[in-house]
Amino acid sequence: MTGLRTDLYEIRMAASYLRRGMTAPATFSLFARKLPRDRGFLVSAGLADCLRFLADLRFTPDELTYLADEVHLPDEDLAALEALRFTGDVWAVPEGRVVFADEPFLEVTAPLPQAQLVETALLNHVTFQSVVASKAARCRLAAPHAGLVDFAARRTHGLEAARAVARAAVIAGFGGTSYVAAAREFGVPAVGTMAHSYVEAFPDERAAFRAFAEDFPDATVFLVDTYDTLHGVRTAIEVAQDLPADRIGVRLDSGNLGELARATRRLLDDAGLSGARIVASGGLDEHALADLASAPIDVFGVGTRMGVSSDAPSMDSAYKLVEYDGNPVMKLSVGKLTAPGAKQVHRGAPGRPDLLSLRDEGTPADREPLLRPVMRGGVRLADPEPLSAAQRRCEQDLRWLPEQARALTGPTPLDVVWSAELTELTEALHRSIAARNDLAHA
Amino acid sequence: MTGLRTDLYEIRMAASYLRRGMTAPATFSLFARKLPRDRGFLVSAGLADCLRFLADLRFTPDELTYLADEVHLPDEDLAALEALRFTGDVWAVPEGRVVFADEPFLEVTAPLPQAQLVETALLNHVTFQSVVASKAARCRLAAPHAGLVDFAARRTHGLEAARAVARAAVIAGFGGTSYVAAAREFGVPAVGTMAHSYVEAFPDERAAFRAFAEDFPDATVFLVDTYDTLHGVRTAIEVAQDLPADRIGVRLDSGNLGELARATRRLLDDAGLSGARIVASGGLDEHALADLASAPIDVFGVGTRMGVSSDAPSMDSAYKLVEYDGNPVMKLSVGKLTAPGAKQVHRGAPGRPDLLSLRDEGTPADREPLLRPVMRGGVRLADPEPLSAAQRRCEQDLRWLPEQARALTGPTPLDVVWSAELTELTEALHRSIAARNDLAHA
């Protein structure tokens, strides 16, 4: 079921184009009009789901029946939609790369009805997943030496979102996820220990810890704050005396995590458990991680605030027609002017502004083009890659990123310079559209 | 595939309980510890997906293989998980009802391993969907006389989220959705017109409007801001002269929507099109809707900010063990103390505080119990209800809601009073746990 996974207007427009034979190639560009507040960069994510959606696109008989009965599309439209597959080309920035406003995440070139129909799904996947990957990357930057794991599944926007969040977090440098379905699908470590309810289900904390150590001797992390954190640490130490120190740990989930971690570390070390790890969780985000930079915490479980990108749960993304039937197009809406033509982003050495140009301008010798062809004639040009490839790209790009774009508060994104050709085309087309539409103000 | 749609620690704990024969009934309570900032109430949503998840719960052979190979669970655990189904009872507040902090959305009573395993999914569905329904209800309150439709699909957190958002918005009083898959599934109107790309794909705006009017004479809403809004309105009026006025409309999607709506209304009226509707969209939320209260706008398309609940994309929800094997339990974690025992919420006349009690205390004659039995022995007690039932409840509860809880800025939630029995049990159990765990401070 993919055909109806779109907004109604996409179907209406596609039907209208099909009736009129407006099936010439159209290029749409998907980009962020501006970065969310407190973001100095974005991490590209969501492409894999986009390509899967495009490859699977079709209207099932049930869906066509719905369009006949409820949207009142005539038989000629239904026949055309029934035959419709995605046969276009896609250029895209690989997942894990850092991008900025105005830089396309991807560009689709396909017969106009196809390129239009897929707008909703492509925008959705890229917007959501890039927003979360960007938030996760900020967490990664805030705690460069600690292990980070995704604990967000319980409060993401649905369980499909939990899957995508785990994936985006791993791209950004997280080492594992608590969400088992995602760990399995993406081949990353599943992580997790015990909840407060486990402790409460036993007569007392000591009994619970003993049972857990007995059942999971290979990965025994005791949740110590159910009743009183440091008391819980002492109980864990007693229970752990007979276990190998490198396989045990304690998890702190409430209170002043920095102070508690220091006191816990002392208690563990004094008990000869210097190999035991400290895991911290509970309401963490990049700012909390930065505040805890000096605390002796080995692993952070980062949950809700990363998984919903709490301070910027979306961004001002757009999927805009930039060329139809060989002609560049643009819109002039107040505050939403778009630049025409298929594009390329050229990246240079650290500190140099990115260069945004028309796609066919060519890349200067000392720069690298970010957009690559990933689908041609509706066929993927490569097998799906392992997540580790995107993770490596992200790690490299985060190192490349200028200090002021990495800043957790008040970051400044890298500048994006437009090529002379792109600027000239934009201005000339603005004048031409104004003339064609009798706009006095232009 | 449902078994792995959970956090790893749920599976670890369930396995441990199963090994130890800790399968006595456990009751977990799902509630908000506190309301998000700027929320005076919550609208309950997500129950339908919870019940479906519980009814479908099972581990497939593939999932069991994963747990054997990657989580290293022994055969005895796998056999127990393979046989596991949800056989418990659920009490819940029906969808669409208004609730406050500490009031359970739902309570599960089931053998401990089952009740534990489902935590992640239940928390996820209720948290996400209630947060969005609450945001949508605030939009409904801000624009009581306009039509509201859901335009969020392109920027929700995945397309499954788009489905749930459309549903939550309808519960809160929206009249339709642009997301076709959801419109079809829930039997609500699919809405949508044209995008800027449609206008741009034609030689000029007039040609685009003519084509659209020809193709969709029954629902012709012209998007007028691609190049210049009022110029676009005049073009729409020319094209619309031959169409029935009650079937046409214009959509404003950028600029000062209030001013443009007034100017547009004048142009339409002067042209004899007083029956033509004005639709507005673009970055709307409850505050923008309130600011536009006096503008002549008939329908608002509310998108991203509602669909991600932009100012409160999650809430501090919890799924807490409150009773095991007949004994009430609680945790004492700093800032996260929970109240023991299965509960009931009793609602009174407008303005009266809600009463939170133990479930078996009985309801005072002048109050109504909010939690109802919805599943017994793993079997739903009623067929899934039409969405209109939840919508009606929400409409009634929003009318019941005190003015200060409805306020868009700085709202004050209704008070929730604890019964004497619940207070006494909480205090007595606190003392008893402290004694059992040798806590000096209690």
Side-chain angles (χ1 to χ4, degrees):
Chain A
M1 215 280 276
T2 52
L4 299 192
R5 300 196 118 202
T6 192
D7 286 311
L8 181 63
Y9 79 169
E10 319 282 16
I11 294 177
R12 283 231 168 98
M13 289 187 280
S16 181
Y17 297 145
L18 287 164
R19 286 184 206 178
R20 292 164 184 280
M22 292 172 67
T23 54
T27 298
F28 282 79
S29 190
L30 201 168
F31 59 96
R33 275 190 278 247
K34 57 178 194 288
L35 299 189
R37 199 179 40 184
D38 274 334
R39 293 293 181 275
F41 64 92
L42 295 169
V43 172
S44 167
L47 178 61
D49 282 342
C50 290
L51 295 179
R52 190 162 62 168
F53 181 88
L54 294 174
D56 291 349
L57 180 67
R58 69 205 58 218
F59 288 86
T60 63
D62 275 4
E63 293 182 322
L64 294 166
T65 302
Y66 172 82
L67 292 176
D69 294 349
E70 302 294 329
V71 183
H72 310 300
L73 294 188
D75 287 349
E76 62 182 284
D77 291 349
L78 301 174
L81 292 176
E82 185 175 14
L84 188 144
R85 300 289 182 274
F86 183 77
T87 62
D89 301 342
V90 180
W91 285 61
V93 174
E95 291 186 294
R97 296 225 61 166
V98 161
V99 297
F100 303 95
D102 287 338
E103 299 184 344
F105 289 91
L106 62 82
E107 296 195 325
V108 170
T109 302
L112 179 57
Q114 298 173 22
Q116 184 73 64
L117 262 178
V118 302
E119 170 178 27
T120 305
L122 299 190
L123 259 179
N124 183 301
H125 291 312
V126 170
T127 303
F128 160 45
Q129 295 184 38
S130 297
V131 157
V132 171
S134 305
K135 181 77 170 174
R138 285 164 56 83
C139 293
R140 185 67 282 175
L141 291 173
H145 306 301
L148 296 182
V149 292
D150 160 40
F151 273 11
R154 63 190 47 212
R155 297 210 197 82
T156 57
H157 287 190
L159 290 173
E160 276 301 296
R163 167 196 175 274
V165 163
R167 188 176 180 279
V170 170
I171 288 176
F174 280 48
T177 176
S178 64
Y179 188 50
V180 190
R184 177 185 179 221
E185 179 178 352
F186 303 119
V188 300
V191 296
T193 60
M194 64 169 68
H196 298 105
S197 51
Y198 189 85
V199 175
E200 294 162 326
F202 286 82
D204 58 36
E205 194 174 48
R206 182 173 286 106
F209 286 2
R210 281 200 179 122
F212 199 76
E214 192 176 305
D215 283 354
F216 301 102
D218 289 345
T220 312
V221 176
F222 302 104
L223 178 61
V224 290
D225 74 329
T226 304
Y227 303 125
D228 176 284
T229 301
L230 295 181
H231 190 277
V233 173
R234 290 188 191 95
T235 305
I237 287 170
E238 287 173 39
V239 171
Q241 283 303 346
D242 301 330
L243 301 170
D246 61 342
R247 293 189 181 174
I248 69 160
V250 298
R251 177 158 74 97
L252 312 172
D253 188 49
S254 57
N256 184 322
L257 295 174
E259 280 180 23
L260 290 170
R262 276 182 281 271
T264 298
R265 188 72 267 163
R266 277 194 299 271
L267 290 171
L268 291 170
D269 290 350
D270 290 350
L273 294 170
S274 57
R277 287 168 310 145
I278 298 179
V279 182
S281 56
L284 298 176
D285 62 10
E286 68 270 44
H287 303 291
L289 292 175
D291 290 344
L292 291 168
S294 67
I297 296 170
D298 304 288
V299 176
F300 290 99
V302 186
T304 305
R305 291 187 188 186
M306 182 275 293
V308 301
S309 187
S310 56
D311 62 331
S314 188
M315 64 173 170
D316 188 12
S317 53
Y319 178 83
K320 289 298 157 194
L321 182 64
V322 294
E323 190 170 312
Y324 177 57
D325 201 8
N327 299 309
V329 301
M330 63 192 289
K331 71 172 186 171
L332 311 180
S333 314
V334 177
K336 295 181 177 177
L337 185 141
T338 54
K343 297 185 189 63
Q344 181 56 278
V345 178
H346 312 274
R347 178 144 298 165
R352 284 187 74 188
D354 277 358
L355 172 66
L356 182 71
S357 76
L358 295 167
R359 188 187 292 169
D360 55 12
E361 285 188 58
T363 300
D366 55 349
R367 288 179 176 269
E368 175 200 20
L370 289 196
L371 289 127
R372 310 293 175 105
V374 294
M375 184 172 255
R376 190 168 292 144
V379 177
R380 273 181 260 215
L381 294 177
D383 290 335
E385 60 177 13
L387 213 45
S388 54
Q391 195 181 51
R392 257 195 314 275
R393 283 191 291 267
C394 188
E395 192 186 343
Q396 286 168 0
D397 272 12
L398 291 179
R399 274 201 300 268
W400 162 87
L401 202 61
E403 200 55 50
Q404 75 270 20
R406 299 162 51 116
L408 297 183
T409 48
T412 308
L414 195 75
D415 281 336
V416 178
V417 176
W418 290 26
S419 75
E421 258 190 79
L422 178 60
T423 304
E424 279 160 32
L425 177 67
T426 304
E427 288 171 0
L429 186 60
H430 194 316
R431 286 189 298 271
S432 150
I433 289 170
R436 263 184 285 149
N437 287 276
D438 307 317
L439 302 182
H441 71 79
Chain B
M1 216 275 277
T2 53
L4 299 192
R5 302 196 116 202
T6 191
D7 285 312
L8 180 64
Y9 79 169
E10 319 283 15
I11 293 177
R12 283 230 168 98
M13 289 187 280
S16 180
Y17 296 145
L18 287 164
R19 287 183 205 177
R20 292 164 184 282
M22 291 173 66
T23 55
T27 298
F28 282 79
S29 190
L30 201 170
F31 58 97
R33 276 191 277 246
K34 58 178 192 290
L35 300 190
R37 197 179 42 183
D38 274 333
R39 292 293 181 274
F41 64 93
L42 295 169
V43 172
S44 166
L47 178 61
D49 282 342
C50 290
L51 295 179
R52 191 163 60 169
F53 181 88
L54 294 174
D56 291 348
L57 180 66
R58 69 205 58 218
F59 288 86
T60 63
D62 275 4
E63 293 181 322
L64 294 166
T65 302
Y66 172 82
L67 292 176
D69 294 348
E70 301 294 331
V71 184
H72 310 299
L73 294 188
D75 287 349
E76 63 181 283
D77 290 350
L78 301 175
L81 291 177
E82 185 175 14
L84 187 144
R85 299 289 183 275
F86 183 78
T87 62
D89 301 342
V90 180
W91 286 61
V93 175
E95 291 187 295
R97 296 225 61 167
V98 160
V99 297
F100 303 94
D102 288 338
E103 298 184 345
F105 288 90
L106 62 82
E107 295 194 327
V108 169
T109 301
L112 180 57
Q114 298 173 22
Q116 184 72 64
L117 262 178
V118 302
E119 170 177 30
T120 305
L122 300 190
L123 259 179
N124 183 300
H125 290 312
V126 170
T127 303
F128 160 44
Q129 295 185 39
S130 296
V131 157
V132 171
S134 305
K135 182 77 171 174
R138 285 165 56 82
C139 292
R140 184 69 281 175
L141 291 173
H145 306 301
L148 296 182
V149 293
D150 160 41
F151 274 11
R154 62 190 47 210
R155 297 211 196 83
T156 57
H157 287 189
L159 289 173
E160 277 301 297
R163 167 196 175 274
V165 164
R167 188 176 179 280
V170 170
I171 288 176
F174 279 47
T177 177
S178 63
Y179 189 50
V180 191
R184 177 185 178 221
E185 179 179 352
F186 303 119
V188 300
V191 296
T193 60
M194 65 169 71
H196 298 104
S197 51
Y198 189 84
V199 175
E200 293 162 327
F202 286 83
D204 59 36
E205 193 174 50
R206 182 174 285 104
F209 286 2
R210 280 203 181 118
F212 199 78
E214 192 176 305
D215 283 353
F216 301 104
D218 289 346
T220 312
V221 176
F222 302 104
L223 177 61
V224 290
D225 75 329
T226 304
Y227 303 125
D228 176 282
T229 301
L230 295 181
H231 190 277
V233 173
R234 289 188 192 96
T235 305
I237 287 170
E238 286 172 41
V239 171
Q241 282 302 345
D242 301 330
L243 300 170
D246 62 340
R247 294 190 181 171
I248 68 160
V250 298
R251 177 158 75 96
L252 313 171
D253 188 49
S254 58
N256 183 321
L257 295 174
E259 279 179 24
L260 289 170
R262 277 181 281 271
T264 299
R265 188 73 267 164
R266 277 192 299 273
L267 290 172
L268 291 170
D269 291 349
D270 290 350
L273 294 170
S274 57
R277 286 168 311 146
I278 297 178
V279 181
S281 56
L284 298 176
D285 63 10
E286 68 270 44
H287 303 292
L289 292 175
D291 290 345
L292 291 168
S294 68
I297 295 170
D298 303 289
V299 176
F300 291 98
V302 186
T304 305
R305 292 186 188 188
M306 182 275 292
V308 300
S309 187
S310 55
D311 62 331
S314 188
M315 64 173 171
D316 188 12
S317 53
Y319 178 83
K320 289 298 156 194
L321 182 64
V322 294
E323 191 170 312
Y324 176 58
D325 202 7
N327 299 310
V329 301
M330 63 192 291
K331 71 171 185 171
L332 311 180
S333 313
V334 177
K336 295 182 177 178
L337 184 141
T338 54
K343 297 185 189 65
Q344 182 55 278
V345 179
H346 312 274
R347 178 143 297 165
R352 283 187 74 187
D354 278 358
L355 173 66
L356 182 71
S357 77
L358 295 167
R359 188 188 291 169
D360 56 11
E361 285 188 59
T363 301
D366 55 349
R367 288 181 176 267
E368 175 200 18
L370 289 196
L371 289 128
R372 310 296 175 102
V374 294
M375 186 173 253
R376 189 167 294 144
V379 177
R380 272 181 262 217
L381 295 177
D383 290 334
E385 60 177 14
L387 212 44
S388 56
Q391 194 181 51
R392 257 194 314 276
R393 283 191 291 266
C394 188
E395 191 185 344
Q396 286 168 1
D397 272 12
L398 292 179
R399 274 202 299 268
W400 163 87
L401 201 61
E403 200 56 47
Q404 75 270 19
R406 300 163 50 117
L408 297 183
T409 49
T412 308
L414 196 74
D415 282 337
V416 178
V417 176
W418 289 26
S419 74
E421 259 189 78
L422 177 60
T423 304
E424 280 160 30
L425 177 67
T426 303
E427 289 170 0
L429 185 60
H430 194 317
R431 287 190 297 271
S432 151
I433 289 171
R436 262 183 286 150
N437 287 277
D438 308 316
L439 302 182
H441 72 78

